Amino acid sequence: MQIRFTKMQGAGNDFVVLDETRGLLGLSPAQYRFLADRHFGVGADQILSVRPAPEAGIDFEYAIHNADGGEVEQCGNGARCFARYVHDRGLTDKSVIRVKTLSGVIAPELVADGRVRVDMGRPELRPAQVPFDAAGLAPRSEGAAQLWPLLLDDASTQWVMPVSMGNPHAVLWVDDADTAPVAVLGPQIERHPRFPQRVNAGFLQRLSRSEVRLRVFERGAGETLACGTGACAAVVAGIRQGLLDTQVQVHTRGGLLGIAWSGNDADSVFMTGPATFVFDGQIEIPEAP
Ligand SMILES: N[C@H](CCC[C@H](N)C(=O)O)C(=O)O
């Protein structure tokens, strides 16, 4: 099957964008994996499928598939690229675009300086809702936050803060993000049995009360150059622990993201960052196995 696609990236987190507004492609997990494959396909961290509005008051729906072919609830960098795509390709003339995702409706806004600002909704900090299985564990209180112990393969314990931004995150503090053992700890945390839906693992270094450095080993994609929902989760964790202010610059390997949160659970987290077209293309993909 021949399909047309657009390659985009947001702070180095890269995407294949598919326009399904005139008809769904009905791709299989194996076909999503093929598109994401950096040797046999196009190459991407996630595949974003732009679909028609499912109901009144909503402008579009967008589906997110990780490189491993699994569909997920939310993607922050993807939301910015989605908004840039539908606006610049003439699918809408709105600058605030309401889009339905598996985890609910978010509202990316194209702002004057060319970046995109997204209301990412409220964080979820109740362990069972992340979901994180806390049965039999004793948390450690840090400020207004609870950190939970994860027993790792080498019998060491890693203290993490579970946070959901619609998708699950485990945030842990490191002294130096650049030298943190992301390749060793990331896979163990991603598939830890205490996270029944697996988890995105964020390695967070505090530079000041308003600047952090973050690396994320993403569920279903491995380490990416940036993770938008991961940046939101990391800042929520830091604010909850009393270590960060309400506006934080998040340095990722792929670029800078601005995150803002009041510290009140009832309030949304806001993320601002870049969204960039890379190229358009078409590719022959194998029929669905
Ligand atoms: N790997 C994530 C989805 C993509 C999130 C990330 N690319 C972002 O920008 O938020 C998950 O399985 O929940």
Side-chain angles (χ1 to χ4, degrees):
M1 174 177 22
Q2 185 88 8
I3 61 165
R4 307 180 68 82
F5 66 87
T6 297
K7 191 76 196 299
M8 297 187 75
Q9 59 87 9
N13 187 194
D14 67 332
F15 309 104
V16 164
V17 183
L18 304 175
D19 180 351
E20 296 191 359
T21 56
R22 288 177 289 274
L24 302 187
L25 289 168
L27 300 183
S28 68
Q31 290 174 311
Y32 286 118
R33 282 194 294 275
F34 173 83
L35 284 172
D37 190 296
R38 297 189 187 280
H39 302 285
F40 297 101
V42 179
D45 296 322
Q46 281 87 31
I47 314 295
L48 312 179
S49 304
V50 179
R51 296 174 177 164
E55 61 203 69
I58 307 279
D59 300 306
F60 295 93
E61 183 166 22
Y62 107 103
I64 305 143
H65 289 81
N66 278 325
D68 71 358
E71 186 168 7
V72 291
E73 310 88 343
Q74 194 53 269
C75 179
N77 291 320
R80 300 197 312 276
C81 288
F82 154 83
R84 170 69 57 215
Y85 180 88
V86 295
H87 183 270
D88 289 13
R89 294 296 163 94
L91 295 173
T92 181
D93 57 4
K94 294 182 177 179
S95 58
V96 180
I97 302 152
R98 289 177 52 77
V99 59
K100 188 171 187 316
T101 67
L102 271 186
S103 72
V105 177
I106 56 173
E109 175 184 9
L110 298 156
V111 296
D113 66 6
R115 294 185 300 165
V116 183
R117 181 174 185 266
V118 192
D119 173 342
M120 292 298 295
R122 298 193 300 266
E124 173 58 73
L125 299 167
R126 293 169 297 174
Q129 308 305 315
V130 171
F132 173 69
D133 173 11
L137 296 180
R140 189 175 83 196
S141 290
E142 298 258 345
Q146 286 189 320
L147 275 70
W148 295 87
L150 286 188
L151 184 63
L152 300 183
D153 296 353
D154 62 359
S156 67
T157 293
Q158 187 63 50
W159 289 87
V160 300
M161 186 169 165
V163 181
S164 174
M165 289 304 302
N167 59 344
H169 292 268
V171 181
L172 57 127
W173 293 96
V174 293
D175 294 333
D176 181 338
D178 288 335
T179 59
V182 173
V184 174
L185 299 185
Q188 292 182 53
I189 296 171
E190 183 210 6
R191 296 182 173 280
H192 197 283
R194 290 282 180 176
F195 289 98
Q197 291 177 13
R198 297 184 293 153
V199 73
N200 300 282
F203 298 78
L204 179 59
Q205 176 188 355
R206 181 173 174 271
L207 301 174
S208 74
R209 291 191 61 85
S210 59
E211 272 195 283
V212 297
R213 193 177 305 283
L214 177 70
R215 289 171 67 187
V216 180
F217 188 95
E218 286 199 29
R219 177 180 62 171
E223 181 174 7
T224 58
L225 294 183
C227 178
T229 51
C232 295
V235 170
V236 165
I239 292 172
R240 182 49 57 111
Q241 288 183 233
L243 299 173
L244 297 177
D245 290 338
T246 55
Q247 312 252 353
V248 178
Q249 294 297 303
V250 180
H251 296 271
T252 76
R253 289 191 149 182
L256 192 62
L257 298 177
I259 308 295
W261 184 53
S262 68
N264 181 333
D265 291 10
D267 289 344
S268 283
V269 183
F270 288 86
M271 169 190 61
T272 303
T276 306
F277 283 100
V278 182
F279 66 91
D280 288 319
Q282 58 190 33
I283 186 169
E284 183 69 32
I285 66 172
E287 291 306 322

